[in-house]
Coordinates of all heavy atoms in Angstrom, one line a residue:
M1 N 12.6 62.4 16.0 CA 12.7 62.0 17.4 C 13.2 60.6 17.5 O 13.7 60.2 18.5 CB 11.4 62.3 18.1 CG 11.5 62.2 19.6 SD 12.7 63.3 20.3 CE 11.7 64.7 20.8
E2 N 12.9 59.8 16.5 CA 13.3 58.4 16.6 C 14.8 58.2 16.6 O 15.3 57.3 17.3 CB 12.7 57.6 15.4 CG 12.7 56.1 15.5 CD 12.0 55.6 16.8 OE1 10.9 56.1 17.1 OE2 12.5 54.7 17.4
E3 N 15.5 59.0 15.9 CA 17.0 59.0 15.9 C 17.5 59.3 17.3 O 18.4 58.7 17.8 CB 17.6 60.0 14.9 CG 19.1 60.1 14.9 CD 19.6 61.2 14.0 OE1 18.8 61.8 13.3 OE2 20.8 61.4 14.1
F4 N 16.9 60.3 17.9 CA 17.2 60.8 19.2 C 17.1 59.6 20.2 O 18.0 59.3 21.0 CB 16.3 61.9 19.7 CG 16.6 62.4 21.1 CD1 17.8 63.0 21.4 CD2 15.6 62.3 22.0 CE1 18.0 63.5 22.7 CE2 15.8 62.8 23.3 CZ 17.0 63.4 23.6
A5 N 15.9 58.9 20.2 CA 15.6 57.8 21.1 C 16.6 56.7 20.9 O 17.2 56.1 21.8 CB 14.2 57.3 20.9
Q6 N 16.9 56.4 19.6 CA 17.9 55.3 19.3 C 19.2 55.6 19.8 O 19.9 54.8 20.4 CB 17.9 55.0 17.8 CG 18.7 53.8 17.5 CD 18.1 52.5 18.1 OE1 16.9 52.3 18.1 NE2 18.9 51.8 18.8
N7 N 19.7 56.9 19.7 CA 21.0 57.3 20.2 C 21.0 57.2 21.7 O 22.0 56.8 22.3 CB 21.3 58.8 19.8 CG 21.5 58.9 18.3 OD1 21.7 57.9 17.6 ND2 21.6 60.1 17.8
I8 N 19.9 57.5 22.4 CA 19.8 57.4 23.9 C 20.0 56.0 24.3 O 20.8 55.6 25.2 CB 18.5 58.0 24.4 CG1 18.3 59.4 24.1 CG2 18.3 57.6 25.9 CD1 19.2 60.3 24.9
Y9 N 19.3 55.1 23.6 CA 19.4 53.6 23.9 C 20.8 53.1 23.7 O 21.3 52.3 24.5 CB 18.4 52.8 23.1 CG 16.9 53.2 23.2 CD1 16.1 53.1 22.1 CD2 16.4 53.8 24.3 CE1 14.7 53.4 22.2 CE2 15.1 54.2 24.4 CZ 14.3 54.0 23.3 OH 12.9 54.3 23.4
T10 N 21.4 53.5 22.6 CA 22.8 53.0 22.4 C 23.7 53.5 23.4 O 24.5 52.7 23.9 CB 23.2 53.5 21.0 OG1 22.3 53.0 20.0 CG2 24.6 53.1 20.7
I11 N 23.7 54.8 23.8 CA 24.6 55.3 24.8 C 24.4 54.6 26.1 O 25.3 54.2 26.8 CB 24.4 56.8 24.9 CG1 24.9 57.5 23.6 CG2 25.2 57.4 26.1 CD1 24.4 58.9 23.4
L12 N 23.1 54.4 26.5 CA 22.8 53.8 27.8 C 23.3 52.3 27.8 O 23.7 51.8 28.8 CB 21.3 53.8 28.0 CG 20.8 55.0 28.8 CD1 19.3 54.9 29.0 CD2 21.5 55.2 30.1
S13 N 23.2 51.7 26.7 CA 23.6 50.3 26.6 C 25.1 50.1 26.9 O 25.5 49.0 27.4 CB 23.3 49.7 25.3 OG 24.1 50.1 24.2
Y14 N 25.9 51.1 26.8 CA 27.3 51.1 27.0 C 27.7 51.6 28.4 O 28.9 51.6 28.8 CB 28.1 51.8 25.9 CG 28.2 51.1 24.6 CD1 27.3 51.5 23.6 CD2 29.0 50.0 24.4 CE1 27.3 50.8 22.4 CE2 29.0 49.3 23.2 CZ 28.2 49.7 22.2 OH 28.2 49.0 21.0
L15 N 26.8 52.2 29.1 CA 27.0 52.8 30.4 C 27.3 51.7 31.5 O 26.3 50.9 31.7 CB 25.9 53.7 30.8 CG 26.1 54.6 32.1 CD1 27.3 55.5 31.8 CD2 24.9 55.4 32.4
G16 N 28.5 51.6 32.0 CA 28.8 50.5 32.9 C 28.2 50.6 34.3 O 27.8 51.6 34.7
E17 N 28.2 49.4 34.9 CA 27.8 49.3 36.3 C 28.5 50.3 37.2 O 29.7 50.4 37.1 CB 27.9 47.9 36.8 CG 27.4 47.7 38.1 CD 27.4 46.2 38.6 OE1 27.3 45.3 37.7 OE2 27.6 46.0 39.8
G18 N 27.8 51.0 38.1 CA 28.4 51.9 39.0 C 28.7 53.3 38.4 O 29.3 54.1 39.1
K19 N 28.3 53.5 37.2 CA 28.5 54.8 36.5 C 27.2 55.5 36.4 O 26.1 54.9 36.2 CB 29.2 54.6 35.1 CG 30.6 54.0 35.2 CD 31.5 55.1 35.8 CE 32.9 54.6 35.8 NZ 33.8 55.6 36.4
L20 N 27.2 56.8 36.4 CA 26.1 57.7 36.2 C 26.3 58.6 35.0 O 27.4 58.9 34.6 CB 25.8 58.5 37.5 CG 25.5 57.7 38.8 CD1 25.5 58.7 39.9 CD2 24.3 56.9 38.6
I21 N 25.1 59.1 34.5 CA 25.1 60.1 33.5 C 24.0 61.0 33.8 O 22.9 60.6 34.3 CB 25.1 59.5 32.1 CG1 25.4 60.5 31.0 CG2 23.7 58.8 31.9 CD1 25.6 59.9 29.6
T22 N 24.1 62.3 33.5 CA 23.0 63.2 33.7 C 22.1 63.2 32.4 O 22.5 62.9 31.3 CB 23.5 64.6 34.0 OG1 24.1 65.2 32.8 CG2 24.4 64.7 35.2
Y23 N 20.9 63.7 32.6 CA 20.0 63.9 31.4 C 20.7 64.8 30.4 O 20.6 64.5 29.2 CB 18.7 64.5 31.9 CG 17.8 63.7 32.7 CD1 17.9 63.8 34.1 CD2 17.0 62.7 32.2 CE1 17.1 63.0 35.0 CE2 16.2 61.9 33.0 CZ 16.3 62.0 34.4 OH 15.5 61.2 35.2
G24 N 21.3 65.9 30.8 CA 22.0 66.8 29.9 C 23.2 66.1 29.2 O 23.3 66.3 28.0
Q25 N 24.0 65.4 29.9 CA 25.1 64.7 29.2 C 24.6 63.7 28.2 O 25.2 63.6 27.1 CB 25.9 64.0 30.3 CG 26.7 64.8 31.2 CD 27.4 64.0 32.3 OE1 26.8 63.1 32.9 NE2 28.7 64.3 32.6
L26 N 23.5 63.0 28.5 CA 23.0 62.0 27.6 C 22.4 62.7 26.4 O 22.7 62.2 25.3 CB 21.9 61.2 28.4 CG 21.4 59.9 27.7 CD1 22.5 59.0 27.3 CD2 20.5 59.2 28.7
A27 N 21.7 63.8 26.5 CA 21.2 64.5 25.4 C 22.4 65.0 24.5 O 22.3 64.9 23.3 CB 20.4 65.7 25.8
K28 N 23.4 65.5 25.1 CA 24.5 66.0 24.4 C 25.3 64.9 23.6 O 25.6 65.0 22.4 CB 25.5 66.7 25.3 CG 26.7 67.4 24.6 CD 27.5 68.2 25.6 CE 28.7 68.8 24.9 NZ 29.5 69.6 25.9
Q29 N 25.5 63.8 24.3 CA 26.2 62.7 23.6 C 25.3 62.1 22.5 O 25.8 61.5 21.5 CB 26.5 61.6 24.6 CG 27.6 61.9 25.5 CD 28.0 60.8 26.5 OE1 27.8 59.7 26.3 NE2 28.6 61.2 27.6
A30 N 24.0 62.2 22.6 CA 23.1 61.7 21.6 C 23.0 62.7 20.4 O 22.4 62.4 19.4 CB 21.7 61.5 22.2
G31 N 23.6 63.8 20.5 CA 23.7 64.8 19.4 C 22.6 65.9 19.5 O 22.4 66.6 18.5
F32 N 21.9 65.9 20.6 CA 20.9 66.9 20.8 C 21.1 67.7 22.1 O 20.3 67.4 23.1 CB 19.5 66.2 20.8 CG 19.2 65.6 19.4 CD1 19.6 64.3 19.2 CD2 18.4 66.2 18.5 CE1 19.4 63.7 17.9 CE2 18.1 65.6 17.3 CZ 18.6 64.4 17.0
P33 N 22.1 68.5 22.2 CA 22.5 69.1 23.5 C 21.4 69.9 24.2 O 21.5 70.1 25.4 CB 23.7 69.9 23.1 CG 23.6 70.2 21.7 CD 22.9 69.0 21.1
L34 N 20.4 70.4 23.5 CA 19.4 71.2 24.2 C 18.1 70.5 24.5 O 17.1 71.1 24.8 CB 19.0 72.4 23.3 CG 20.2 73.3 22.9 CD1 19.8 74.4 21.9 CD2 20.9 73.9 24.1
H35 N 18.2 69.1 24.5 CA 17.0 68.3 24.7 C 17.1 67.4 25.9 O 16.5 66.3 25.9 CB 16.8 67.5 23.4 CG 16.4 68.2 22.2 ND1 17.3 69.0 21.5 CD2 15.2 68.4 21.7 CE1 16.6 69.6 20.5 NE2 15.3 69.2 20.6
S36 N 17.7 67.9 27.0 CA 17.8 67.1 28.2 C 16.4 66.7 28.8 O 16.2 65.6 29.3 CB 18.6 67.8 29.3 OG 18.1 69.0 29.6
R37 N 15.4 67.6 28.7 CA 14.1 67.2 29.2 C 13.4 66.1 28.4 O 12.7 65.3 28.9 CB 13.1 68.4 29.1 CG 13.5 69.4 30.2 CD 12.5 70.6 30.1 NE 13.0 71.7 31.0 CZ 12.4 71.9 32.2 NH1 11.4 71.1 32.6 NH2 12.8 72.8 33.0
H38 N 13.8 66.0 27.1 CA 13.3 64.9 26.2 C 13.9 63.6 26.6 O 13.2 62.6 26.3 CB 13.5 65.3 24.8 CG 12.8 66.5 24.3 ND1 11.4 66.5 24.1 CD2 13.2 67.7 24.1 CE1 11.0 67.7 23.7 NE2 12.1 68.5 23.7
V39 N 15.0 63.6 27.2 CA 15.6 62.3 27.6 C 14.7 61.6 28.6 O 14.4 60.4 28.5 CB 17.0 62.5 28.2 CG1 17.6 61.2 28.9 CG2 18.0 63.0 27.2
G40 N 14.2 62.3 29.5 CA 13.3 61.8 30.5 C 12.0 61.2 29.9 O 11.5 60.2 30.3
K41 N 11.5 61.9 28.9 CA 10.3 61.4 28.1 C 10.6 60.1 27.4 O 9.8 59.2 27.4 CB 9.8 62.5 27.2 CG 9.3 63.7 27.9 CD 8.9 64.8 26.9 CE 8.5 66.0 27.7 NZ 8.1 67.1 26.8
V42 N 11.8 60.0 26.8 CA 12.2 58.8 26.1 C 12.3 57.6 27.1 O 11.8 56.5 26.9 CB 13.5 59.0 25.4 CG1 14.1 57.7 24.9 CG2 13.4 59.9 24.2
L43 N 13.0 57.9 28.2 CA 13.1 56.9 29.3 C 11.8 56.4 29.9 O 11.6 55.3 30.2 CB 14.1 57.3 30.3 CG 15.5 57.6 29.9 CD1 16.4 58.1 31.0 CD2 16.2 56.4 29.2
A44 N 10.9 57.3 30.0 CA 9.6 57.0 30.6 C 8.8 56.1 29.7 O 7.9 55.3 30.2 CB 8.8 58.3 30.8
R45 N 9.1 56.0 28.4 CA 8.4 55.1 27.5 C 9.0 53.7 27.5 O 8.5 52.8 26.8 CB 8.4 55.7 26.1 CG 7.5 56.9 26.0 CD 7.3 57.3 24.5 NE 8.5 57.4 23.7 CZ 9.1 58.5 23.3 NH1 8.7 59.6 23.7 NH2 10.2 58.4 22.6
L46 N 10.2 53.5 28.1 CA 10.8 52.2 28.1 C 9.8 51.1 28.8 O 9.2 51.5 29.8 CB 12.1 52.2 28.9 CG 13.3 52.8 28.3 CD1 14.4 52.9 29.2 CD2 13.7 52.0 27.0
P47 N 9.8 49.9 28.3 CA 9.0 48.9 29.0 C 9.5 48.6 30.3 O 10.7 48.7 30.6 CB 9.1 47.7 28.0 CG 10.0 48.1 26.9 CD 10.4 49.5 27.1
K48 N 8.7 48.2 31.3 CA 9.1 47.9 32.6 C 10.2 46.8 32.7 O 11.1 46.9 33.6 CB 7.9 47.4 33.5 CG 7.0 48.5 33.8 CD 6.7 48.5 35.3 CE 5.7 49.6 35.6 NZ 6.2 50.5 36.5
D49 N 10.2 45.9 31.7 CA 11.2 44.9 31.7 C 12.5 45.2 30.9 O 13.3 44.3 30.6 CB 10.6 43.5 31.3 CG 10.1 43.6 29.8 OD1 9.9 44.7 29.3 OD2 9.8 42.5 29.3
S50 N 12.6 46.4 30.5 CA 13.8 46.9 29.7 C 15.1 46.5 30.4 O 15.2 46.7 31.7 CB 13.7 48.4 29.5 OG 14.9 48.8 28.8
R51 N 16.0 46.1 29.7 CA 17.4 45.8 30.2 C 18.3 46.9 30.2 O 19.4 46.9 30.7 CB 17.9 44.6 29.5 CG 17.1 43.3 29.6 CD 17.6 42.2 28.8 NE 19.0 41.8 29.3 CZ 19.3 40.7 29.9 NH1 18.4 39.8 30.2 NH2 20.6 40.5 30.3
L52 N 17.9 48.0 29.6 CA 18.7 49.3 29.6 C 18.8 49.8 31.0 O 17.8 49.9 31.7 CB 18.1 50.3 28.6 CG 18.3 50.1 27.2 CD1 17.5 51.1 26.4 CD2 19.7 50.0 26.8
P53 N 20.0 50.3 31.4 CA 20.2 50.9 32.7 C 19.7 52.3 32.9 O 20.4 53.2 33.2 CB 21.7 50.8 32.9 CG 22.2 50.9 31.5 CD 21.2 50.3 30.6
W54 N 18.4 52.5 32.7 CA 17.7 53.8 32.8 C 18.0 54.4 34.1 O 18.0 55.7 34.2 CB 16.2 53.6 32.5 CG 15.6 52.7 33.5 CD1 15.4 51.4 33.4 CD2 15.1 53.0 34.8 NE1 14.9 50.8 34.5 CE2 14.7 51.8 35.4 CE3 15.0 54.2 35.6 CZ2 14.2 51.8 36.7 CZ3 14.5 54.2 36.9 CH2 14.1 53.0 37.4
F55 N 18.1 53.6 35.1 CA 18.2 54.1 36.5 C 19.6 54.8 36.8 O 19.8 55.4 37.8 CB 18.1 52.9 37.5 CG 19.0 51.7 37.2 CD1 20.2 51.7 37.9 CD2 18.6 50.7 36.4 CE1 21.1 50.7 37.6 CE2 19.5 49.7 36.2 CZ 20.7 49.6 36.8
R56 N 20.5 54.7 35.8 CA 21.8 55.3 36.0 C 21.8 56.8 35.5 O 22.8 57.5 35.5 CB 22.9 54.6 35.2 CG 23.1 53.2 35.8 CD 24.2 52.4 35.1 NE 24.3 51.1 35.6 CZ 24.6 50.0 34.9 NH1 24.8 50.1 33.6 NH2 24.6 48.8 35.4
V57 N 20.6 57.3 35.1 CA 20.5 58.7 34.6 C 19.9 59.5 35.8 O 18.8 59.2 36.3 CB 19.5 58.7 33.4 CG1 19.4 60.2 32.9 CG2 20.0 57.8 32.3
V58 N 20.6 60.6 36.1 CA 20.2 61.4 37.2 C 20.2 62.9 36.7 O 20.8 63.2 35.7 CB 21.0 61.3 38.5 CG1 20.9 59.9 39.0 CG2 22.5 61.6 38.2
N59 N 19.7 63.8 37.6 CA 19.7 65.2 37.1 C 21.1 65.8 37.4 O 22.0 65.2 38.0 CB 18.6 66.0 37.8 CG 18.8 66.3 39.2 OD1 19.9 66.3 39.8 ND2 17.6 66.4 39.9
S60 N 21.3 67.0 36.9 CA 22.6 67.7 36.9 C 23.1 68.0 38.3 O 24.3 68.3 38.5 CB 22.6 68.9 36.0 OG 21.7 69.9 36.5
Q61 N 22.2 68.0 39.3 CA 22.6 68.3 40.7 C 23.0 67.0 41.4 O 23.2 67.0 42.6 CB 21.5 69.0 41.4 CG 21.3 70.4 41.0 CD 19.9 70.7 40.5 OE1 19.0 70.0 40.8 NE2 19.8 71.7 39.6
G62 N 22.9 65.9 40.7 CA 23.3 64.6 41.3 C 22.2 64.0 42.1 O 22.4 63.4 43.2
K63 N 21.0 64.3 41.7 CA 19.8 63.8 42.4 C 18.9 62.9 41.5 O 18.9 63.1 40.3 CB 18.9 65.0 42.9 CG 19.6 65.8 44.0 CD 18.6 66.9 44.4 CE 19.3 67.8 45.4 NZ 18.4 68.9 45.8
I64 N 18.2 62.1 42.2 CA 17.1 61.3 41.5 C 16.0 62.3 41.2 O 15.5 62.9 42.2 CB 16.7 60.1 42.3 CG1 17.9 59.1 42.4 CG2 15.5 59.4 41.7 CD1 17.6 57.9 43.4
S65 N 15.5 62.3 40.0 CA 14.4 63.2 39.7 C 13.0 62.6 39.8 O 12.0 63.3 39.9 CB 14.5 63.7 38.3 OG 15.6 64.6 38.1
L66 N 13.0 61.3 39.9 CA 11.7 60.6 40.0 C 11.1 60.7 41.3 O 11.8 61.0 42.3 CB 11.9 59.1 39.6 CG 12.5 58.8 38.2 CD1 12.8 57.4 38.0 CD2 11.6 59.4 37.1
I67 N 9.8 60.4 41.4 CA 9.1 60.5 42.7 C 8.3 59.2 42.9 O 8.1 58.4 42.0 CB 8.1 61.7 42.8 CG1 7.1 61.6 41.7 CG2 8.9 63.0 42.7 CD1 6.0 62.7 41.8
G68 N 7.9 59.0 44.2 CA 7.0 57.8 44.5 C 7.8 56.5 44.3 O 8.9 56.3 44.6
E69 N 7.0 55.5 43.8 CA 7.6 54.2 43.6 C 8.8 54.2 42.7 O 9.7 53.4 42.9 CB 6.5 53.2 43.1 CG 5.4 52.9 44.1 CD 6.0 52.1 45.3 OE1 6.8 51.2 45.1 OE2 5.6 52.4 46.4
A70 N 8.7 55.0 41.7 CA 9.8 55.1 40.7 C 11.1 55.6 41.4 O 12.2 55.1 41.1 CB 9.5 56.0 39.5
F71 N 11.0 56.5 42.3 CA 12.1 57.0 43.1 C 12.7 55.8 43.9 O 13.9 55.6 43.9 CB 11.7 58.1 44.0 CG 12.7 58.5 45.1 CD1 13.6 59.5 44.8 CD2 12.8 57.9 46.3 CE1 14.6 59.9 45.7 CE2 13.7 58.3 47.2 CZ 14.7 59.2 46.9
I72 N 11.9 55.1 44.6 CA 12.3 54.0 45.4 C 13.0 52.9 44.6 O 14.0 52.4 45.0 CB 11.1 53.4 46.2 CG1 10.6 54.4 47.2 CG2 11.5 52.1 46.9 CD1 9.2 54.1 47.8
R73 N 12.4 52.6 43.4 CA 13.0 51.6 42.5 C 14.4 52.1 42.0 O 15.4 51.3 42.1 CB 12.1 51.4 41.4 CG 12.5 50.3 40.5 CD 11.4 49.9 39.5 NE 11.9 48.9 38.6 CZ 11.7 49.0 37.2 NH1 11.0 49.9 36.7 NH2 12.2 48.0 36.5
Q74 N 14.5 53.3 41.6 CA 15.8 53.8 41.1 C 16.8 53.8 42.2 O 17.9 53.4 42.0 CB 15.6 55.2 40.5 CG 16.9 55.7 39.9 CD 16.8 57.0 39.1 OE1 15.7 57.7 39.2 NE2 17.8 57.4 38.4
K75 N 16.5 54.3 43.4 CA 17.4 54.4 44.5 C 17.9 53.0 44.9 O 19.1 52.8 45.0 CB 16.7 55.0 45.7 CG 17.6 55.2 46.9 CD 16.8 56.0 48.0 CE 17.7 56.4 49.2 NZ 18.1 55.2 50.0
S76 N 17.0 52.0 44.9 CA 17.4 50.6 45.2 C 18.3 50.1 44.2 O 19.3 49.4 44.6 CB 16.1 49.8 45.3 OG 16.4 48.4 45.5
L77 N 18.0 50.3 42.9 CA 18.9 49.7 41.9 C 20.3 50.4 41.9 O 21.3 49.7 41.7 CB 18.2 50.0 40.5 CG 17.0 49.1 40.2 CD1 16.3 49.6 39.0 CD2 17.4 47.6 40.0
L78 N 20.4 51.7 42.2 CA 21.7 52.3 42.3 C 22.4 51.8 43.5 O 23.6 51.6 43.4 CB 21.5 53.8 42.3 CG 21.0 54.5 41.0 CD1 20.7 56.0 41.2 CD2 22.0 54.3 39.9
E79 N 21.7 51.7 44.6 CA 22.4 51.2 45.8 C 23.0 49.8 45.6 O 24.0 49.4 46.1 CB 21.5 51.3 47.0 CG 21.2 52.7 47.4 CD 20.2 52.8 48.5 OE1 19.3 52.0 48.6 OE2 20.3 53.8 49.3
K80 N 22.3 48.9 44.8 CA 22.7 47.6 44.5 C 24.1 47.6 43.8 O 24.8 46.7 43.8 CB 21.7 46.8 43.7 CG 20.6 46.3 44.6 CD 19.6 45.5 43.7 CE 18.4 45.1 44.5 NZ 17.3 44.5 43.7
E81 N 24.3 48.7 43.1 CA 25.6 48.9 42.3 C 26.6 49.6 43.2 O 27.7 50.0 42.7 CB 25.3 49.7 41.1 CG 24.5 48.9 40.1 CD 24.4 49.5 38.7 OE1 25.0 50.6 38.5 OE2 23.9 48.8 37.8
G82 N 26.3 49.8 44.5 CA 27.3 50.4 45.4 C 27.3 51.9 45.4 O 28.2 52.5 46.0
I83 N 26.3 52.5 44.8 CA 26.3 54.0 44.8 C 25.5 54.4 46.1 O 24.4 54.0 46.3 CB 25.6 54.5 43.6 CG1 26.4 54.1 42.3 CG2 25.3 56.0 43.6 CD1 25.8 54.4 41.0
E84 N 26.2 55.3 46.9 CA 25.6 55.8 48.1 C 24.7 57.0 47.8 O 25.1 57.9 47.1 CB 26.7 56.2 49.1 CG 26.2 56.5 50.4 CD 27.3 56.9 51.4 OE1 28.5 56.8 51.0 OE2 27.0 57.4 52.5
I85 N 23.5 56.9 48.4 CA 22.4 57.9 48.1 C 21.8 58.3 49.4 O 21.5 57.4 50.2 CB 21.4 57.4 47.1 CG1 22.0 56.9 45.9 CG2 20.3 58.5 46.8 CD1 21.1 56.1 45.0
T86 N 21.5 59.6 49.6 CA 20.8 60.0 50.8 C 19.4 59.7 50.7 O 18.9 59.3 49.6 CB 20.9 61.6 51.0 OG1 20.2 62.2 50.0 CG2 22.4 62.0 51.0
D87 N 18.6 59.8 51.8 CA 17.2 59.5 51.8 C 16.4 60.4 50.9 O 15.4 60.0 50.4 CB 16.6 59.6 53.2 CG 17.1 58.4 54.1 OD1 17.6 57.4 53.6 OD2 17.1 58.6 55.4
Q88 N 17.0 61.6 50.6 CA 16.3 62.6 49.8 C 16.7 62.3 48.3 O 16.2 63.1 47.4 CB 16.7 64.0 50.2 CG 16.2 64.4 51.5 CD 17.0 63.8 52.7 OE1 18.2 63.5 52.5 NE2 16.4 63.5 53.8
G89 N 17.5 61.4 48.0 CA 17.9 61.1 46.6 C 19.1 61.7 46.1 O 19.4 61.7 44.9
K90 N 19.9 62.3 46.9 CA 21.1 63.0 46.5 C 22.3 61.9 46.5 O 22.4 61.2 47.4 CB 21.5 64.1 47.4 CG 22.8 64.8 47.2 CD 22.6 66.0 46.3 CE 23.9 66.8 46.2 NZ 24.2 67.1 44.9
I91 N 23.0 61.9 45.3 CA 24.1 61.0 45.2 C 25.3 61.5 46.0 O 25.7 62.6 45.8 CB 24.6 60.8 43.7 CG1 23.4 60.6 42.8 CG2 25.7 59.8 43.6 CD1 22.6 59.3 43.0
V92 N 25.8 60.7 46.9 CA 27.0 61.1 47.7 C 28.2 60.9 46.8 O 28.3 59.9 46.2 CB 27.1 60.2 49.0 CG1 28.3 60.5 49.8 CG2 25.8 60.3 49.9
K93 N 29.1 61.9 46.8 CA 30.3 61.8 45.9 C 29.9 61.7 44.5 O 30.5 60.9 43.7 CB 31.3 60.7 46.4 CG 31.8 61.0 47.8 CD 32.7 59.9 48.2 CE 33.2 60.0 49.6 NZ 34.0 58.9 50.1
F94 N 28.9 62.4 44.0 CA 28.3 62.4 42.7 C 29.4 62.3 41.6 O 29.3 61.5 40.7 CB 27.4 63.5 42.5 CG 26.8 63.7 41.2 CD1 26.2 62.7 40.5 CD2 26.9 65.0 40.5 CE1 25.6 62.9 39.3 CE2 26.4 65.2 39.3 CZ 25.7 64.1 38.6
K95 N 30.3 63.2 41.6 CA 31.3 63.4 40.5 C 32.1 62.1 40.3 O 32.5 61.9 39.2 CB 32.1 64.6 40.7 CG 31.3 65.9 40.5 CD 32.1 67.1 40.5 CE 31.2 68.3 40.3 NZ 31.9 69.5 40.1
Q96 N 32.3 61.3 41.3 CA 33.2 60.1 41.1 C 32.5 59.1 40.3 O 33.1 58.2 39.8 CB 33.6 59.6 42.5 CG 32.7 58.6 43.1 CD 33.3 58.0 44.4 OE1 34.0 58.6 45.1 NE2 32.9 56.8 44.7
Y97 N 31.2 59.1 40.2 CA 30.4 58.2 39.5 C 30.1 58.5 38.0 O 29.6 57.7 37.3 CB 29.1 57.9 40.2 CG 29.2 57.3 41.6 CD1 28.9 58.1 42.7 CD2 29.7 56.0 41.8 CE1 29.0 57.6 44.0 CE2 29.8 55.5 43.1 CZ 29.5 56.3 44.1 OH 29.6 55.8 45.4
L98 N 30.3 59.8 37.7 CA 30.0 60.3 36.3 C 30.9 59.5 35.3 O 32.1 59.3 35.5 CB 30.2 61.8 36.2 CG 29.2 62.6 36.9 CD1 29.6 64.1 36.8 CD2 27.8 62.4 36.4
D99 N 30.3 59.2 34.2 CA 31.0 58.5 33.1 C 31.8 59.4 32.3 O 31.5 60.5 32.1 CB 30.0 57.8 32.2 CG 30.6 56.9 31.2 OD1 31.5 56.1 31.6 OD2 30.3 57.0 30.0

């Protein structure tokens, strides 16, 4: 699982501002295509001060999967990058932001 996490971190480190990736795409690019749920677990373990753009990872329907304060934080960070999001967490014009 350590290799998986390291691959996730590396891929995320190259994800540019204003770009999004889904949990499934990230798992596939990391070499573990059937482990999209594990991506969320890896990201949940990141320290709060992590510089990795964890907030650019959304679900396959183009929505923020987090809830509560984490939802608000992710939405705010994405909006700062110019990504338009509905109040319910759906990315407007989702496909244009995919990496």
